[in-house]
Amino acid sequence: MTDPPRPAPDRLATRIGQAVILHRAGDREEARSRLAALWAELQGGPAAQGDPVVPGGPAVGGALARCTVAHYLAGTQEDPYTRLQWHLRALSAARGHREPADGRSEEPSPAMRALYPLLCLGLADGYAELGERAAARRELARARAALVALPDEGRRADLQAAADRLARRLDP
């Protein structure tokens, strides 16, 4: 007996993108619902929208998908404590994600290196919103340290500007 097929990574990315578009268009509830269904799938829970999950198999999509979904789920939350929990899940997935770079050592994948500063900024912002200034500063420092690894100068400049704005909020 063969295992049912897993959702193709492109289909997963499309579904994540559709949920993000819904959120940006103002449909927070529907975006949250779709992202929560994706999260359940990625954790090996019941499939949504007809995509099978192999019982007992590894999570579909891997750490990068879990990290991305958790990051966007954080943005759909109204409660700041719940939002912070999703930021923590996203960063936890990122910190646990490694891909062999040369067969001898394990380094973060390029995609995860590109996402990591944004995740740290999201977590820092979550802590700042809850008045946890020390924790916010710690994550802000991690974000700034991770920014140097970004090859895209435009992306790096945008995130640096966001880090600067957060720093001003923390030290009025």
Side-chain angles (χ1 to χ4, degrees):
M1 183 165 160
T2 62
D3 290 332
R6 293 189 179 275
D10 288 343
R11 176 156 177 177
L12 182 62
T14 297
R15 290 171 56 207
I16 293 169
Q18 289 169 339
V20 171
I21 289 168
L22 284 168
H23 184 231
R24 290 181 178 164
D27 195 346
R28 179 183 280 200
E29 290 298 321
E30 182 63 21
R32 183 175 27 226
S33 174
R34 289 185 186 201
L35 289 166
L38 282 168
W39 181 259
E41 281 183 52
L42 293 170
Q43 298 306 307
Q49 300 182 14
D51 285 338
V53 174
V54 177
V60 177
L64 183 59
R66 288 190 306 277
C67 177
T68 303
V69 169
H71 169 70
Y72 286 116
L73 260 168
T76 67
Q77 304 303 313
E78 295 173 20
D79 175 64
Y81 290 101
T82 305
R83 189 168 34 254
L84 181 67
Q85 291 302 311
W86 281 109
H87 281 305
L88 288 166
R89 286 181 185 108
L91 201 52
S92 176
R95 288 179 176 156
H97 177 68
R98 297 280 190 257
E99 288 183 5
D102 61 5
R104 294 179 297 158
S105 65
E106 292 188 351
E107 296 292 326
S109 71
M112 196 60 79
R113 277 195 306 271
L115 191 54
Y116 193 77
L118 179 63
L119 300 175
C120 292
L121 280 174
L123 186 57
D125 186 59
Y127 281 128
E129 186 177 8
L130 294 171
E132 299 289 338
R133 291 189 179 291
R137 284 186 189 98
R138 180 187 66 235
E139 293 305 326
L140 179 58
R142 286 184 179 147
R144 288 185 190 271
L147 283 172
V148 298
L150 289 183
D152 179 353
E153 291 181 17
R155 175 103 169 120
R156 186 173 49 236
D158 290 345
L159 291 173
Q160 184 62 54
D164 292 344
R165 285 190 301 273
L166 181 57
R168 285 191 297 276
R169 275 184 33 218
L170 291 172
D171 298 317

